[in-house]
Amino acid sequence: MHEAMVAENIIESILSQVPSKKGRVVRVVISCGQMNALNDEAMEFAFEAAAEGTICKGAKLKIKHIPLKAKCKTCGKKFDYDLYEPQCPRCGKSDFDIGEDAPLLLEEIEFEVH
Amino acid sequence: MRIKIEQKILAKNEDFASANRKYFKRNNILCINMISSPGSGKTTILEQTAKALKNKLNIAVIEGDLYTEYDADRIRKTGLQAVQIETKGACHLSAEQITKAFHKLDAEKLDVLVIENVGNLVCPSDFDLGELRRVVVLSTAEGDDKCAKYPGSFAQADVLLINKMDIAKHVDFKISKAKRDARKLNKQLKIFEISAKTTAGMDKWFNWLLKSCKELRK
């Protein structure tokens, strides 16, 4: 359940960046990669709990899962790397260059001023 | 009003991790983050490593557990320095905890620092501690399907120690399957088959440690 710590970090970041405490956060967009993937349900649950008692209470959380890009060394095909079935969708070989995994990112928030 | 933030969520952990890594590199300390399920034999592996290498390498251990000093006590009995971190329920160690725990050790002439992470194949893999190498331990009793089921831990490791090989046949562990799944995730992964109890196969692990320390000092 490290989603709890991720949620606390999100709330902390938001609170340090909102333009004014007089308002509320209605939407939060975060993104993650494949290695650091978050479980959506656990993340939503943890976020709701961490938001309690702050201006983020009730905000909708959107979680974007960013694919990991790979390029087959045999046939050159570029594709989204599947951690569970890592092979080239064109030639079936499993020798490729893998790009950098997307970090856990707080992308943007939607803020309503009262 | 939409506000772009574009900030790394674990930025604070990453700041501590890079500072740790810088320190370990500058001081030639081979810092290893050891990850596995509870009960895979991490502490026994370290006890045997201490016995075999304590005259060749200066090793210290940071132990991570939810509760108790049990593991640090076991390590101290072998003559090594050990610091226990009790996470009080948290499922992983953070880089900041490592910075603090490290200050309690005598770092003079240290060759190797092993961080024995909280027993958990899921969460610790997301938290960079600033280690220079990552070692994942899988014991045969857990089953040969774990590499595929918990890819994050295996995909990001440098070494896989498959422990409890002495009981593999009694628990229907197929070494070829485990190795195939692990290699699929990670082409560079070094795999050593060991039994920390009988010490069979441990030589290769000891040699890897000695070699890695040498490379670091170059």
Side-chain angles (χ1 to χ4, degrees):
Chain A
M1 258 306 273
H2 65 284
E3 277 84 356
M5 183 185 167
V6 173
E8 277 170 30
N9 277 279
I10 294 172
I11 301 291
E12 222 174 89
S13 292
I14 294 175
L15 295 182
S16 69
Q17 305 220 22
V18 286
S20 127
K21 296 274 178 286
K22 287 185 190 128
R24 67 184 197 102
V25 178
V26 289
R27 189 164 176 269
V28 175
V29 183
I30 64 171
S31 59
C32 63
Q34 297 299 305
M35 303 282 187
N36 56 25
L38 297 168
N39 176 283
D40 286 3
E41 269 179 32
M43 193 60 233
E44 280 160 19
F45 177 80
F47 179 76
E48 206 181 305
E52 193 63 40
T54 74
I55 53 167
C56 300
K57 189 183 170 182
K60 276 243 173 318
L61 179 70
K62 181 174 168 54
I63 306 162
K64 292 200 230 167
H65 294 267
I66 313 290
L68 186 53
K69 298 284 177 198
K71 188 180 171 196
C72 179
K73 278 190 183 172
T74 313
C75 75
K77 167 101 179 150
K78 287 182 183 165
F79 61 100
D80 290 349
Y81 182 79
D82 181 349
L83 215 50
Y84 304 93
E85 219 30 82
Q87 53 182 351
C88 172
R90 187 154 73 193
C91 72
K93 294 272 165 46
S94 54
D95 194 11
F96 20 70
D97 290 318
I98 299 167
E100 204 166 313
D101 198 28
L104 272 175
L105 206 67
L106 171 57
E107 291 198 350
E108 62 172 37
I109 58 172
E110 226 172 288
F111 188 71
E112 263 179 22
V113 187
H114 286 320
Chain B
M1 179 195 338
R2 269 197 185 178
I3 305 168
K4 283 255 173 246
I5 297 188
E6 303 289 346
Q7 188 183 75
K8 283 190 180 177
I9 293 170
L10 299 177
K12 195 176 147 203
N13 189 67
E14 284 178 28
D15 290 347
F16 275 99
S18 3
N20 289 349
R21 185 171 293 110
K22 218 184 247 173
Y23 178 88
F24 296 138
K25 271 191 186 160
R26 198 173 12 163
N27 294 284
N28 296 331
I29 297 170
L30 180 72
C31 176
I32 293 174
N33 183 1
M34 205 175 212
I35 294 176
S36 82
S37 310
S40 67
K42 291 187 294 302
T43 315
T44 309
I45 291 169
L46 293 178
E47 285 172 328
Q48 297 288 16
T49 306
K51 261 190 211 164
L53 297 181
K54 77 176 163 198
N55 294 325
K56 292 181 181 165
L57 294 174
N58 186 357
I59 307 173
V61 178
I62 294 176
E63 285 287 345
D65 280 294
L66 270 62
Y67 300 101
T68 79
E69 286 252 343
Y70 287 176
D71 282 357
D73 285 341
R74 281 175 62 184
I75 298 297
R76 285 184 202 117
K77 277 193 187 129
T78 68
L80 300 191
Q81 297 184 72
V83 180
Q84 181 77 48
I85 299 172
E86 281 185 80
T87 66
K88 312 280 182 198
C91 52
H92 61 272
L93 293 176
S94 70
E96 185 177 2
Q97 285 173 315
I98 299 307
T99 311
K100 283 184 185 154
F102 187 75
H103 284 305
K104 295 182 188 160
L105 291 166
D106 175 10
E108 190 80 20
K109 291 181 186 153
L110 197 60
D111 300 304
V112 181
L113 171 69
V114 182
I115 301 163
E116 189 185 324
N117 219 311
V118 177
N120 179 340
L121 266 185
V122 188
C123 310
S125 75
D126 285 353
F127 293 86
D128 183 4
L129 302 180
E131 71 268 19
L132 303 185
R133 299 284 185 281
R134 199 175 271 202
V135 173
V136 59
V137 182
L138 171 70
S139 63
T140 56
E142 294 163 52
D144 51 26
D145 54 2
K146 294 302 173 290
C147 304
K149 285 185 172 176
Y150 299 88
S153 289
F154 297 91
Q156 301 176 81
D158 299 289
V159 173
L160 165 61
L161 297 176
I162 303 184
N163 191 25
K164 307 190 190 177
M165 282 305 294
D166 52 320
I167 60 163
K169 61 176 184 288
H170 304 293
V171 292
D172 295 330
F173 183 89
K174 289 193 184 55
I175 186 77
S176 56
K177 177 176 168 44
K179 278 176 147 180
R180 194 175 57 235
D181 283 353
R183 284 257 158 73
K184 251 191 191 180
L185 294 162
N186 185 339
K187 284 253 166 332
Q188 279 82 40
L189 189 65
K190 287 210 162 42
I191 304 178
F192 303 131
E193 299 165 35
I194 61 167
S195 165
K197 190 166 181 174
T198 68
T199 71
M202 295 283 281
D203 283 0
K204 284 187 179 152
W205 158 245
F206 300 152
N207 286 336
W208 178 86
L209 273 173
L210 290 165
K211 206 180 108 210
S212 302
C213 283
K214 223 182 196 173
E215 279 170 9
L216 195 62
R217 281 189 225 110
K218 266 183 200 163

